[in-house]
Amino acid sequence: MPVVDFWFDPACPWAWMTSRWIDEVTRVRDVEVRWHVMSLSVLNEGRDLPDEYRRLMDESWGPVRVLVAAARDHGDEVLKPLYDAMGTRRHPQGRRDVAAIVAESLAEVGLPAGLADVAGTDEVDDLLRASHARAMDLVGDEVGTPVVAIDGVGFFGPVITPAPHGEDAGRLFDGLALVTGVPGFYELKRTRTQGPVFDHPALQQA
């Protein structure tokens, strides 16, 4: 059974799309998926960013800190449901009220409301940076989120929209698994011409 490691930042719509694909993969392929937190805020520290993107990076610290604290206190198994709760509000619902998203998501998953208190502190930043570094060690620091690894071989992406479902999702996974087995394979890329599509049937099932 292939082991898939998936690193995400809940602020990233492309990571959200890819995570919906991975959900579909688990329905049509025998895979084990392990979820991990990475941080666009950490990735972009010290970089010269446009003001709007800098504001996004500043507000993105809170949710990843809460995710890391939740995993620390309650186990890694809470990461996926908490990510789903945050991501649904952030992406298909289009909300930007970060504090409310965090509070509602903790309540939905049945986690203590007090976990939200770490959002504005550096209490778990060492753990966050360590999780982020494990992704970067696989792919380098010139990429973003998501990072997906199959049996320890990682890539940035795939970046997809809309998220394929059913056997289409399975075939994409088969292809990615195939290229991870080629030691010298590094990248495929083309210019994106479409933004994230959140109303695809696969997203409604997740």
Side-chain angles (χ1 to χ4, degrees), residues 144-161:
T145 176
V147 169
V148 176
I150 300 177
D151 292 333
V153 180
F155 289 95
F156 163 58
V159 176
I160 47 178
T161 191

Side-chain angles (χ1 to χ4, degrees), residues 2 21 25 28-31 150 167-181:
W21 162 66
V25 170
V28 296
R29 296 291 186 272
D30 291 326
V31 297
I150 300 177
E167 189 57 24
D168 288 341
R171 283 193 294 269
L172 176 57
F173 178 80
D174 296 342
L176 185 60
L178 179 64
V179 300
T180 60

Side-chain angles (χ1 to χ4, degrees), residues 17-176:
M17 300 299 297
T18 306
S19 72
R20 301 309 92 182
W21 162 66
I22 284 291
D23 277 348
E24 280 293 298
V25 170
T26 64
R27 297 183 176 103
V28 296
R29 296 291 186 272
D30 291 326
V31 297
E32 176 188 352
V33 182
R34 302 184 300 201
W35 299 87
H36 313 275
V37 181
M38 63 182 295
S39 171
L40 290 172
S41 300
V42 172
L43 182 68
N44 285 288
E45 279 183 314
R47 297 183 179 180
D48 186 18
L49 303 173
D51 289 344
E52 183 177 352
Y53 196 68
R54 172 58 62 193
R55 285 193 293 272
L56 174 62
M57 293 301 95
D58 289 345
E59 72 179 24
S60 295
W61 281 102
V64 290
R65 285 167 168 162
V66 171
L67 282 154
V68 169
R72 177 197 64 183
D73 295 350
H74 301 279
D76 288 343
E77 61 271 16
V78 304
L79 282 175
K80 178 58 162 52
L82 187 54
Y83 174 42
D84 286 347
M86 288 182 179
T88 297
R89 289 167 172 79
R90 176 83 186 199
H91 301 300
Q93 294 180 11
R95 293 174 55 185
R96 292 294 181 268
D97 45 342
V98 175
I101 288 172
V102 168
E104 291 172 16
S105 298
L106 289 169
E108 178 181 321
V109 178
L111 291 170
L115 284 169
D117 294 342
V118 306
T121 76
D122 61 1
E123 176 184 336
V124 297
D125 282 10
D126 286 348
L127 293 173
L128 171 60
R129 291 178 187 279
S131 181
H132 178 87
R134 287 192 289 273
M136 297 298 97
D137 287 346
L138 291 175
V139 298
D141 60 2
E142 296 178 356
V143 300
T145 176
V147 169
V148 176
I150 300 177
D151 292 333
V153 180
F155 289 95
F156 163 58
V159 176
I160 47 178
T161 191
H165 65 106
E167 189 57 24
D168 288 341
R171 283 193 294 269
L172 176 57
F173 178 80
D174 296 342
L176 185 60

